[in-house]
Amino acid sequence: MKAVVFEKFGEAPTIQTVPDPKPAADGVVIKVEATGLCRSDWHGWMGHDDSITLPHVPGHELAGIVVAAGKQVTRWKAGERVTVPFAVGCGRCFECNSGNHQVCEHQTQPGFTGWGSFAEYVAIEHADTNLVRLPDEMEFATAASLGCRFVTSFRAIVDQGRVKPGEWVAVHGCGGVGLSAIMIASSMGANVIAIDLTDEKLDFAKKIGAVATINASKTPNVVKAVKQITNGGAHMSMDALGHPTTSFNSIANLRRRGRHVQVGLMLGEHARPQVPMDKVIAFELEILGSHGMQAYRYESMMDMIRNGKLKPELLVGKKISLDEAPAALVAMGGFEGIGIGVVTKF
Ligand SMILES: [Zn+2]
Ligand SMILES: [Zn+2]
């Protein structure tokens, strides 16, 4: 099969012909029909993720068609249209048994712990636990765009952030994660403030539900601005970018008993950012993480998509071919365009 391969961290990936994957006894092989481009892939390529062994095929936001299933697989067969959470649970550990596959102790991640979906085919383990059936009307590109950023934001807003109608929600960073969070929080009846450095992204944030925006490049004190708009601070706030400044602001702009959810990755030199711990105690703030979402929780999200309350297709950005993916991956370290870029031609 054709795949995007890198042999050294930070060295340009190339298109190569590699052996087709075979399904594990409890796994499947999926013909990839769409796969999202994500900053996590860029981090992986740069060598920021120690679960990667070389040579490597990136890609973890995938949708496609099952082409082969192992003997132990009971729920899936060839021909079914599926997607999969980026954190693939083992289905047997304590966390999986308690329903928290997203933090499985033995999780695998396509594109990190094994070869991913920047390829014609990808192998996924523990298929019965992890595959998600796609609604017939959902395009593969939309389904791929859910895989990482949209589901992580859904969990961050709904399950971890516990956002209620009428609450103020601040979203720091309007990339794929941030825009997803804005759409989801707004659909739940929250008042969302979008924060970013570019007016272009903030204008788009307004179109998908933000009621207020802050351009951080023109606002000397973002925390103060959020407190003014919300009359005291956000109930829930999220760092969707993953940077010490946005993380700090997201905690500092909360009102008493507010909830901060960290979704943007903090890797390398950013792994141990400053936290206003004095405020965390005095205000009884909650600091939470969100790491993907369990396959069984997709159902509620899919229902909201089917009913038109959530429109993830609006967040699909540029569609490119696999041949264009190496250059697009390398470019992800810089400025991102609006929405989620997806490979749709293989
Ligand atoms: Zn597990
Ligand atoms: Zn991702």
Side-chain angles (χ1 to χ4, degrees):
M1 67 169 180
K2 215 164 117 181
V4 173
V5 182
F6 60 84
E7 311 208 358
K8 278 191 184 145
F9 294 116
E11 210 166 82
T14 54
I15 302 281
Q16 295 185 15
T17 302
V18 297
D20 289 355
K22 290 195 175 67
D26 70 346
V28 294
V29 169
I30 296 169
K31 180 176 185 295
V32 183
E33 295 287 345
T35 185
L37 286 151
C38 178
R39 233 180 131 77
S40 309
D41 297 314
W42 178 83
H43 278 298
W45 171 66
M46 285 293 286
H48 297 161
D49 191 310
D50 52 19
S51 61
I52 293 176
T53 50
L54 298 171
H56 186 67
V57 176
H60 59 279
E61 306 184 353
L62 64 112
I65 300 167
V66 175
V67 289
K71 277 197 192 101
Q72 294 166 14
V73 176
T74 59
R75 293 182 55 213
W76 304 97
K77 55 183 192 306
E80 291 184 286
R81 300 167 81 247
V82 295
T83 187
V84 65
F86 73 84
V88 174
C90 72
R92 284 188 277 273
C93 72
F94 176 83
E95 295 303 339
C96 285
N97 280 323
S98 70
N100 289 297
H101 307 80
Q102 78 284 359
V103 289
C104 168
E105 295 162 41
H106 312 294
Q107 67 188 267
T108 50
Q109 296 183 5
F112 296 97
T113 61
W115 281 15
S117 52
F118 281 21
E120 290 177 279
Y121 298 97
V122 65
I124 300 293
E125 298 173 282
H126 316 307
D128 283 340
T129 305
N130 293 286
L131 293 196
V132 176
R133 187 169 282 110
L134 299 182
D136 293 339
E137 66 279 8
M138 183 178 283
E139 284 185 27
F140 285 114
T142 305
S145 79
L146 300 177
C148 159
R149 286 161 280 188
F150 201 85
V151 297
T152 301
S153 287
F154 191 85
R155 178 166 168 75
I157 294 290
V158 179
D159 291 348
Q160 296 292 80
R162 311 185 304 278
V163 166
K164 293 187 260 312
E167 285 192 330
W168 281 103
V169 172
V171 177
H172 296 258
C174 294
V177 169
L179 291 174
S180 303
I182 290 162
M183 180 185 283
I184 294 159
S186 166
S187 78
M188 292 177 66
N191 306 306
V192 184
I193 307 174
I195 302 139
D196 199 274
L197 295 168
T198 70
D199 286 333
E200 195 195 5
K201 287 186 181 173
L202 292 172
D203 288 344
F204 189 75
K206 267 196 171 163
K207 275 188 206 146
I208 58 164
V211 296
T213 59
I214 297 171
N215 186 324
S217 72
K218 300 173 190 166
T219 310
N221 191 333
V222 170
V223 170
K224 205 170 146 193
V226 171
K227 288 193 167 179
Q228 261 166 6
I229 295 169
T230 57
N231 201 17
H235 297 86
M236 188 253 162
S237 185
M238 176 168 155
D239 174 16
L241 178 66
H243 186 277
T245 303
T246 43
S247 175
F248 187 93
N249 287 349
S250 176
I251 300 168
N253 70 196
L254 290 170
R255 69 176 59 205
R256 287 156 204 267
R257 297 193 42 84
R259 291 99 59 199
H260 160 78
V261 184
Q262 184 67 40
V263 178
L265 294 181
M266 300 291 249
L267 298 170
E269 65 198 36
H270 292 161
R272 308 276 187 273
Q274 275 204 332
V275 175
M277 202 53 89
D278 51 342
K279 274 261 181 95
V280 173
I281 299 163
F283 284 8
E284 289 197 344
L285 304 180
E286 287 181 62
I287 298 183
L288 302 150
S290 181
H291 187 255
M293 187 166 80
Q294 317 91 312
Y296 72 86
R297 283 290 288 141
Y298 274 59
E299 205 176 314
S300 312
M301 184 183 75
M302 291 295 196
D303 284 345
M304 289 177 79
I305 295 170
R306 200 175 294 125
N307 297 332
K309 284 193 174 174
L310 296 175
K311 297 187 172 73
E313 67 275 11
L314 297 180
L315 305 181
V316 175
K318 220 173 156 193
K319 292 181 184 172
I320 63 167
S321 69
L322 193 67
D323 293 335
E324 294 170 295
L329 179 71
V330 171
M332 290 219 71
F335 181 80
E336 278 177 82
I338 284 185
I340 296 170
V342 184
V343 177
T344 53
K345 254 171 101 191
F346 291 81

